[in-house]
Amino acid sequence: MSTVRTRLPEGRYGRSSDERADRTLRVVGAALGALLLGLVGWFGYHYVVQNEISAELISFDAGEDAVKVRLEVRKDAGATGYCTVRSQAENGAEVGRADFRFDEDATRIDKVVTLRTTAPGTTAELLGCHAD
């Protein structure tokens, strides 16, 4: 008994259409991967370089109608900007939100700010800082 061949002899009839499609998919995939890598690099670079002000919420003291928040702000010497802070009630509802400006020339600022609330706040959260 002889074995039945199901494949064509290698190299005799050129590339099959499946091999051409695989090569095309590899080229398109490599191009899209390079584009994605470039976009991630570009966004990462602009996020790090353009972010001239950052802060950290050190502590807070909640009261009946205000929350005192201690922020440590780090920024470039000539940079100006603001940080957004919010407070929530025990049930999760937002009871206060405010932007606090930092225009000083110092590169590190340790400041206590007062966030007025509409009801007793139980938390304080630094939402972010933005340079002007």
Side-chain angles (χ1 to χ4, degrees), residues 64-76:
E64 287 295 315
D65 61 348
V67 176
K68 292 187 186 294
V69 180
R70 182 173 167 223
L71 294 174
E72 181 181 298
V73 180
R74 291 169 301 282
K75 63 183 190 67
D76 293 341

Side-chain angles (χ1 to χ4, degrees), residues 85-120:
V85 178
R86 80 170 176 173
S87 180
Q88 292 177 310
E90 191 172 328
N91 64 0
E94 186 176 285
V95 294
R97 179 187 292 237
D99 294 332
F100 298 100
R101 295 208 54 82
F102 296 97
D103 297 331
E104 295 89 352
D105 284 332
T107 58
R108 184 181 169 280
I109 302 166
D110 194 358
K111 191 172 186 179
V112 176
V113 295
T114 302
L115 173 63
R116 295 187 187 276
T117 58
T118 57

Side-chain angles (χ1 to χ4, degrees), residues 23-76:
R23 183 169 189 263
T24 303
L25 284 175
R26 272 189 250 128
V27 169
V28 169
L32 289 175
L35 179 66
L36 179 64
L37 185 63
L39 280 173
V40 168
W42 185 77
F43 283 120
Y45 172 78
H46 283 283
Y47 177 76
V48 170
V49 171
Q50 298 298 327
N51 195 8
E52 299 170 343
I53 183 170
S54 65
E56 183 179 353
L57 190 141
I58 303 299
S59 65
F60 69 92
D61 183 25
E64 287 295 315
D65 61 348
V67 176
K68 292 187 186 294
V69 180
R70 182 173 167 223
L71 294 174
E72 181 181 298
V73 180
R74 291 169 301 282
K75 63 183 190 67
D76 293 341

